[in-house]
Amino acid sequence: MGLFRTNLTHLADERLMELVLRGDERAFATLYDRYQRNLMAYFRRMLWQDGERARDFVQDLFTKIANNPESFHAERPFKTWLYSVANNMCKNEYRRMAVRTAAVPELKADGNHAVEATAGTAMDRQHFAARLQQELDKLEPDHKAAFVMRHYEDMAIKEIAAVFGISEGTVKSRLFYTVRKLAASLPEFNPHPAPAVRTAGTR
């Protein structure tokens, strides 16, 4: 059995899903092992750095797959389908939270106070990460998701386009808009500030 399980790890995602459809629990476990860590990180970033909520969402996502594996369409790459399901779960959560807007600030991490009073580059990185997360939480859900997929999950433009069902050009435009907006919101971290505008007669 151990040898067979080892061999399963070399199978493509889509082949593993074929086996899952036949009730192969080892194939399901292989997919879980392959994606659970990345999905945990994705949900944390999308859900206000709430680790417990992220764990619940990972479990819920794989429960959906286990209970309804036929919802996966073989003509789509498994990875892009998986992230499209994850993204829809986040959108549903945003809608639920919108009804309880008073609770939202309490669920968000207080980035400024979460950073320990340490000196140097380490503190700067932590502070930047906290500030970046705050600004990401202000973005439209699809823009936030595209940024996280590209810059944290290292997904290709083509994969992100498949997740959202849009063109690659639209993904690039969305990412450009998001980066520009984040840069404007985080001027203190811009290493190349715009030069001062000279008035007439100055040198």
Side-chain angles (χ1 to χ4, degrees):
M1 181 180 293
L3 178 60
F4 184 61
R5 175 65 185 275
T6 300
N7 289 339
L8 283 182
T9 64
H10 299 288
L11 294 179
D13 297 338
E14 294 74 22
R15 174 56 180 157
L16 288 170
M17 276 304 295
E18 289 179 11
L19 296 175
V20 171
L21 280 165
R22 298 176 187 173
D24 192 320
E25 294 182 5
R26 291 168 296 184
F28 177 84
T30 301
L31 283 170
Y32 181 87
D33 291 343
R34 187 173 291 178
Y35 282 103
Q36 63 91 13
R37 182 175 298 180
N38 285 346
L39 284 170
M40 178 70 181
Y42 176 76
F43 280 129
R44 277 184 65 94
R45 295 192 181 281
M46 295 298 292
L47 300 171
W48 311 289
Q49 295 295 315
D50 189 330
E52 182 176 353
R53 189 179 300 239
R55 282 190 293 273
D56 289 343
F57 271 59
V58 171
Q59 293 304 120
D60 288 347
L61 174 51
F62 279 99
T63 298
K64 291 176 187 291
I65 295 174
N67 292 337
N68 192 24
E70 60 274 11
S71 62
F72 169 66
H73 299 289
E75 66 271 12
R76 295 188 64 183
F78 175 78
K79 182 179 179 181
T80 56
W81 174 80
L82 184 68
Y83 274 90
S84 68
V85 175
N87 185 53
N88 286 334
M89 291 173 66
C90 291
K91 283 186 175 182
N92 290 336
E93 183 67 5
Y94 295 155
R95 283 191 283 269
R96 282 193 292 267
M97 292 304 298
V99 179
R100 297 173 287 170
T101 52
V104 173
E106 298 177 9
L107 291 172
K108 293 184 179 181
D110 185 355
N112 291 330
H113 295 290
V115 179
E116 296 181 1
T118 55
T121 305
M123 185 180 71
D124 292 340
R125 284 198 299 265
Q126 291 179 55
H127 180 51
F128 174 73
R131 286 282 291 113
L132 176 58
Q133 187 63 46
Q134 289 175 348
E135 296 303 322
L136 283 174
D137 288 341
K138 298 176 185 178
L139 297 175
E140 291 292 327
D142 285 348
H143 287 76
K144 177 181 178 180
F147 183 90
V148 171
M149 289 177 191
R150 179 61 174 164
H151 296 285
Y152 290 105
E153 298 301 313
D154 199 29
M155 291 175 65
I157 297 294
K158 183 177 182 179
E159 291 178 315
I160 299 172
V163 168
F164 290 102
I166 58 179
S167 70
E168 293 181 34
T170 301
V171 173
K172 292 177 182 178
S173 176
R174 185 174 291 178
L175 289 170
F176 174 78
Y177 168 84
T178 300
V179 170
R180 185 173 63 179
K181 188 170 184 177
L182 289 172
S185 301
L186 300 166
E188 66 269 36
F189 298 107
N190 186 356
H192 303 294
V197 177
R198 293 183 178 180
T199 58
T202 60
R203 296 187 178 182

